[in-house]
Amino acid sequence: MMGLDTRLKGLERRQLLRGLGAVGGGALLGGGLARPAKAAGFIDSRAGPGNPQVADEIRTEFLHAWSCYKKYAFGYDQVLPLSGKPDYFFFPKAKVSVGLSIIEALDTLYVMGFDSELKAGLDWIYTNLNFNINSDFNVFEGIIRIVGGLLAGYLAVRDQRLLRLAKDLADRIMPIFTKSPTGMPYNAVNLATGAVSGTSSILATIGTNILEFGILSQLTGDPSYYNASKRALREAFNRRSSLDLLGGSINVETGQTTDYTDSGPNPVTDSFYEYVYGAYALFGDQECLGWYHTLNNAMTKYLVENYNGLTWYKTVDSRTGALINRKQSELASFYAELVAAGGDLSLGTAYYQSWTKVLQRYPVLPEAIDYTTLTPTNAGNAFRPEYANSSFDLYWQTGDATYAQTAYQYFTGMKNNARTPEGYTVIADVTTKPMKQGDLFPAYGFAENFKYLYLIFARTPRFDTQNFYLSTEGKILRGLKPDPALTGY
Ligand code: DMJ
């Protein structure tokens, strides 16, 4: 074990510096963009001290949510804040927990400076976490939440045990790629036996893994993780239509598209595009950047439309471009920052403004709307972070204080409606007054919402605002600065 540790450290140092490919020179921001030039007189709000008072308010609310998890569900996957009970996420039938909320929270606790909470979480992980579980495991969620969470935790405190756990889980997941005739991943794997299942995979499952697996390749010096993910992206890209649009799912054994619906930034295709671009932003992969532009240009051409003065993405048939529906999932709102990072700031701004219009109507965004009327087609809200994700990245891309203001508006809506006496929870109906609450705090709430908000207003030496990159699950995969007080804990 000592030998492994020493080897990893040496490799890690060299490869973190070098990256898997050449990352473009100059100061990079989240999304890998150089800062856009601004008109004379524009006040860049990034240069100042942030807003320590608001940062502290957000930090306090995070602790309120965390305390509820600690009180009722510590070591379980999630908490049910109203009933005060624990909840299983990955293995509800087997009643096995992997302490998901702890893993999701690691780098948030770190950047917020909750060191004793972080140490308690790490102690739980080092004592209890074991992936030898004889049950099927959802690989999409497992990679972005657990592999990503352990890697972000490792990048924060540099304890080799976290890296070993991330590698152990990734090795148990690898059969989804290596057993697939096309290289595109199956949906699920049995963590103990390596048996794979689920042959028709949605695009998000096929393509939301290169960031976590690429970091793992960097840290271990083993390129097989990155290469498996890259092959899957290539295979999916090669199945685009003559319009350069992609369908929603593919049979990973035959390679046939099983659903030709292109829902663009909406599920089930959403984070596929995020990771095609991310492979460039995080690892300098120019081929992926080319793929991103090909696909994004086609979406801009065939999906984007101006409707009643607002900008939205239609869902279309990928073969013909024919309209399927004009629904918009809240989950798509992250795309405002991605399309801006990819070079189209005016489209990103317009899309963000469209969502801000909905936020003015519903202080907590509904899960989905019909954008011809701005009315909900699903009136719940599962404590969704995507709008705040865009606020955060657009703020750091542009320095425009409008994004901080609208982020605070989002925070106020969340605090006024999703707060419970002991924690935070999901909303069952955003259209009622007061909003009807549900009974669940999703683990991603510890990874995303509060972190995006906090890192707009806070200035902490533990986070590099000049050069960062976060995964689809809000994991800080670049930009964590080690603190000697915690290193190796
Ligand atoms: C999170 O797991 C991630 O943000 C993912 O990309 C989409 N769904 C949830 C949050 O809404």
Side-chain angles (χ1 to χ4, degrees), residues 169-180:
L169 181 58
D171 289 340
R172 292 172 189 273
I173 290 172
M174 276 300 268
I176 62 167
F177 296 107
T178 55
K179 288 187 176 172
S180 163

Side-chain angles (χ1 to χ4, degrees), residues 140-141 144-145 271 331 384-386 444 448 472-473:
F140 167 77
E141 301 288 359
I144 64 173
R145 291 162 178 257
S271 50
L331 278 85
R384 294 291 181 189
E386 286 77 13
Y444 55 72
E448 298 198 67
T472 192
E473 190 76 1

Side-chain angles (χ1 to χ4, degrees), residues 308-310 312 350-362 365 374 387 406 409:
N308 289 337
L310 299 177
W312 302 105
Y351 193 48
Y352 184 83
Q353 285 167 350
S354 301
W355 279 110
T356 304
K357 193 86 178 166
V358 186
L359 191 67
Q360 280 155 7
R361 198 180 273 207
Y362 306 101
L365 293 172
L374 301 191
Y387 179 87
T406 45
Q409 188 183 336

Side-chain angles (χ1 to χ4, degrees), residues 76-108:
Y76 288 89
D77 288 333
Q78 307 187 119
V79 65
L80 308 177
L82 293 184
S83 49
K85 293 202 172 90
D87 180 52
Y88 297 93
F89 183 79
F90 283 102
F91 309 106
K93 279 192 199 139
K95 291 203 180 306
V96 172
S97 154
V98 290
L100 179 62
S101 288
I102 296 174
I103 298 169
E104 295 263 32
L106 292 177
D107 60 342
T108 312

Side-chain angles (χ1 to χ4, degrees), residues 258-281:
T258 45
D259 169 20
Y260 287 95
T261 307
D262 187 335
S263 45
N266 295 281
V268 294
T269 44
D270 45 3
S271 50
F272 177 89
Y273 304 106
E274 191 177 357
Y275 275 43
V276 173
Y277 180 77
Y280 158 72

